[in-house]
Amino acid sequence: MRTGFVGLGAMGAPMARNLHRAGLLSGVWNRTAAKANELARELGCKAYEDPAKLAADCDIVVVCVSADQDLRDVVAFMRAGLRPGSIVIDCSTVGAATARALHAELASIDVAFLDCPVSGGVEGARQGTLAIMAGGDEPAFRRALPVLEKMGRKIAYLGPSGAGQATKATNQIMCAGIIQAVAEAMAFAKAEGLPLERVIDTLGQGAGSSWYFVNRAPFMARMDFPAGFRVRLHEKDLRICHEMAAARGVRLPVVESTLEEYAALIREGHGDEDISTIYRHKSALFAAGGPGPKS
Amino acid sequence: MRTGFVGLGAMGAPMARNLHRAGLLSGVWNRTAAKANELARELGCKAYEDPAKLAADCDIVVVCVSADQDLRDVVAFMRAGLRPGSIVIDCSTVGAATARALHAELASIDVAFLDCPVSGGVEGARQGTLAIMAGGDEPAFRRALPVLEKMGRKIAYLGPSGAGQATKATNQIMCAGIIQAVAEAMAFAKAEGLPLERVIDTLGQGAGSSWYFVNRAPFMARMDFPAGFRVRLHEKDLRICHEMAAARGVRLPVVESTLEEYAALIREGHGDEDISTIYRHKSALFAAGGPGPKS
């Protein structure tokens, strides 16, 4: 299966390398041509100047770009070259409505479009251990599986077009609420003078625990937030969640309060820190509070 | 070590039974005497009419009551009988300030007071698998350990008086934020038409996951909320968190929004359901929203 890769950023480049290792990668394209040329030299594959030409040479094109408009642009660039029966696998995180629109548009020229957002970060992209949440036509999903399996470890088919994006959005909503909860709880614990490492150890085994508590509360205890899941990226994903709910006439209070905190963190220059940096605000509240009782 | 037990409710009675099985229980007292008489007959131990007399006969008294005022009352009732060198182990969930006040008061008559709130629910109380978060003087904690170990499996010493309550409060704050996050995410997923069981299975392994998501999101998918952790009890605990933070001049947004939802749920007759019933509100928002796009 000749596979092309479009979008060679922090996630896309290592994903393309994994396809190359599996002998599947035939060519790459990137908006900034230098990146494509560099990777093509490294891997000994073809860097295309025209995405339509890449599409014309491939059975499957994997796309990994930043935002809805980038994805629409890339599909428009490729469209003239896309072959009937071929598949576009979109690994970007975009709105489900964008996925459904592109699915419908490409269906009219007999090209399948799968929305396959991933989670697991740059580390998961490198190691080929991403979780992949797929939506689209199931026969196309089954045909694409050999390619998906080279990029991820947990690959789930969630339903028709948009279901992959909606599942990713569901996950991002949970991350928002959990990081708020963990940060508020840790700020409280610190204000109470508790030994934070021992608190993490004790509560990490209980029903109030979560991946974020076990893995990120220690960052908060050290007031150090190395980039894991950047505020800027989660902020982008949460805006997608917000817009998807707004399209149904519904507000998402957890998402909206998190977006407000993120906007402030970005203004303050913390947009490239891990989302656990939200603890800065929560702990500042306590620092600014009254003297209160001491234990 | 002659051990007495005061407060034979849903948690206290099974905890007292575990002490009895270990040969430690010498007597019980309960505000409603019938409960004490019944348990004493069942176990063949002594039911006291006067808590001060129970205290006079014991090296350790374990207390498990509902609220701050109940605890203050019980300690006042026992006070005349409490022997120098004895220990009061309080397993109730109350404010850290109440614990610190009782600790100071009893220290003046050479009686140790340990705040030892538990988590793990009625099931954990029965099986002796509770998590116990202890605060108070460390030598007293070490002497009390043989008794604590008969009631719980994970026993952590968190620091001076109040540290146990503050740690429990930290946990309850996290539970509040997580249940909000899970409910909001699940309501979103349902509105998007996703297959909920598959979403739970897919995201349950990822970084957005939590004990509550894995164990309670299935309740939400079935719209069925059998009593696990009752809204009414979590509401009580969150009011404690709110008051502890307010004493420092700080608001806890996650806690406060959860308290508002709980107040409404209690009004609507859902106070004895599991806290995952908060999903009722979140999903109703989507049901009431505009028609929106369908996938």
Side-chain angles (χ1 to χ4, degrees), chain B residues 2 6 230 245:
Chain B
R2 286 161 307 168
V6 166
R230 287 169 201 268

Side-chain angles (χ1 to χ4, degrees), chain B residues 11-236:
Chain B
M11 295 293 289
M15 290 163 76
R17 278 194 194 92
N18 284 330
L19 294 182
H20 171 75
R21 255 175 234 128
L24 292 171
L25 189 69
S26 57
V28 296
W29 182 82
N30 193 69
R31 195 163 44 180
T32 308
K35 270 194 191 172
N37 293 334
E38 197 181 322
L39 191 72
R41 261 196 307 276
E42 174 194 326
L43 303 180
C45 73
K46 185 167 174 183
Y48 286 82
E49 287 184 16
D50 179 355
K53 291 217 171 110
L54 174 144
D57 285 349
C58 291
D59 305 301
I60 290 184
V61 182
V62 183
V63 180
C64 190
V65 294
S66 293
D68 294 59
Q69 190 54 50
D70 303 321
L71 175 63
R72 282 190 292 261
D73 289 349
V74 159
V75 170
F77 296 158
M78 292 197 296
R79 190 172 160 156
L82 283 166
R83 293 155 40 173
S86 69
I87 303 172
V88 174
I89 299 176
D90 173 39
C91 295
S92 321
T93 295
V94 300
T98 298
R100 285 189 285 257
L102 292 172
H103 175 269
E105 185 191 327
L106 294 186
S108 70
I109 55 168
D110 195 24
V111 171
F113 181 90
L114 298 172
D115 50 307
C116 294
V118 303
S119 73
V122 171
E123 203 52 31
R126 264 193 216 116
Q127 299 177 347
T129 56
L130 294 168
I132 303 182
M133 294 150 272
D137 302 338
E138 197 161 3
F141 168 75
R142 274 195 234 105
R143 279 195 292 136
L145 209 45
V147 169
L148 294 171
E149 283 170 346
K150 299 300 178 294
M151 302 188 293
R153 193 156 55 188
K154 293 168 202 153
I155 295 145
Y157 176 74
L158 278 309
S161 183
Q165 296 295 351
T167 301
K168 171 99 191 239
T170 301
N171 188 64
Q172 305 310 72
I173 295 169
M174 287 203 289
C175 291
I178 289 170
I179 202 70
Q180 291 251 22
V182 172
E184 186 161 310
M186 285 291 287
F188 175 91
K190 188 177 182 198
E192 289 291 322
L194 293 175
L196 298 182
E197 303 289 353
R198 216 180 304 166
V199 168
I200 295 167
D201 185 53
T202 302
L203 302 184
Q205 306 166 49
S209 192
S210 58
W211 186 94
Y212 270 97
F213 180 61
V214 171
N215 292 280
R216 294 297 182 253
F219 288 10
M220 298 178 190
R222 291 190 300 268
M223 206 66 182
D224 174 33
F225 310 102
F229 185 14
R230 287 169 201 268
V231 168
R232 227 179 270 291
L233 295 178
H234 197 203
E235 198 265 349
K236 189 209 96 181

Side-chain angles (χ1 to χ4, degrees), chain A:
Chain A
M1 220 139 29
R2 286 160 307 164
T3 304
F5 207 105
V6 167
L8 303 168
M11 295 293 290
M15 290 163 76
R17 278 193 194 92
N18 283 329
L19 292 183
H20 170 75
R21 255 175 233 126
L24 291 172
L25 189 70
S26 58
V28 296
W29 182 83
N30 193 70
R31 195 165 42 183
T32 310
K35 272 194 190 173
N37 293 333
E38 198 181 321
L39 191 72
R41 261 196 306 276
E42 173 195 326
L43 303 181
C45 71
K46 183 167 175 184
Y48 286 81
E49 287 186 16
D50 178 355
K53 291 217 172 109
L54 174 142
D57 284 349
C58 289
D59 305 300
I60 290 185
V61 182
V62 183
V63 180
C64 191
V65 294
S66 294
D68 293 61
Q69 190 55 49
D70 302 322
L71 175 64
R72 282 189 292 262
D73 289 349
V74 158
V75 171
F77 296 159
M78 293 196 296
R79 190 172 160 156
L82 283 166
R83 292 156 39 173
S86 68
I87 304 173
V88 174
I89 298 176
D90 172 39
C91 294
S92 322
T93 295
V94 299
T98 299
R100 285 189 287 257
L102 292 172
H103 175 269
E105 184 190 327
L106 294 188
S108 71
I109 56 167
D110 194 24
V111 171
F113 180 90
L114 297 171
D115 48 308
C116 294
V118 303
S119 73
V122 172
E123 202 53 30
R126 263 191 217 117
Q127 298 176 350
T129 57
L130 294 168
I132 304 182
M133 293 151 271
D137 303 337
E138 197 162 2
F141 169 75
R142 275 194 235 107
R143 278 194 292 139
L145 209 45
V147 170
L148 294 171
E149 282 170 348
K150 299 300 177 294
M151 303 187 291
R153 192 157 54 187
K154 294 168 200 152
I155 296 145
Y157 176 73
L158 278 309
S161 182
Q165 295 296 350
T167 300
K168 170 101 191 239
T170 300
N171 188 65
Q172 305 311 70
I173 294 170
M174 287 203 290
C175 291
I178 289 170
I179 202 70
Q180 290 251 20
V182 171
E184 186 161 309
M186 286 292 287
F188 176 92
K190 188 175 183 198
E192 288 291 321
L194 293 175
L196 298 183
E197 302 287 354
R198 217 179 304 165
V199 168
I200 296 167
D201 186 53
T202 302
L203 302 184
Q205 305 167 49
S209 191
S210 58
W211 185 94
Y212 270 98
F213 180 61
V214 171
N215 292 281
R216 295 297 182 252
F219 287 10
M220 299 179 189
R222 292 191 299 270
M223 206 65 181
D224 175 33
F225 310 101
F229 184 14
R230 288 169 203 267
V231 168
R232 228 180 268 289
L233 294 179
H234 196 203
E235 200 263 349
K236 188 211 98 181
D237 294 354
L238 292 182
R239 272 194 280 122
I240 291 170
C241 300
H242 168 77
E243 281 156 25
M244 284 174 72
R248 297 185 188 279
V250 175
R251 298 184 58 228
L252 297 173
V254 168
V255 167
E256 283 158 32
S257 66
T258 309
L259 279 170
E260 278 172 35
E261 299 255 23
Y262 284 177
L265 285 162
I266 290 168
R267 275 199 306 275
E268 292 156 17
H270 304 302
D272 288 313
E273 293 179 348
D274 183 78
I275 62 170
S276 48
T277 189
I278 203 167
Y279 176 73
R280 289 179 188 277
H281 285 179
K282 298 277 189 183
S283 60
L285 283 178
F286 278 95
K294 289 280 169 236
S295 52

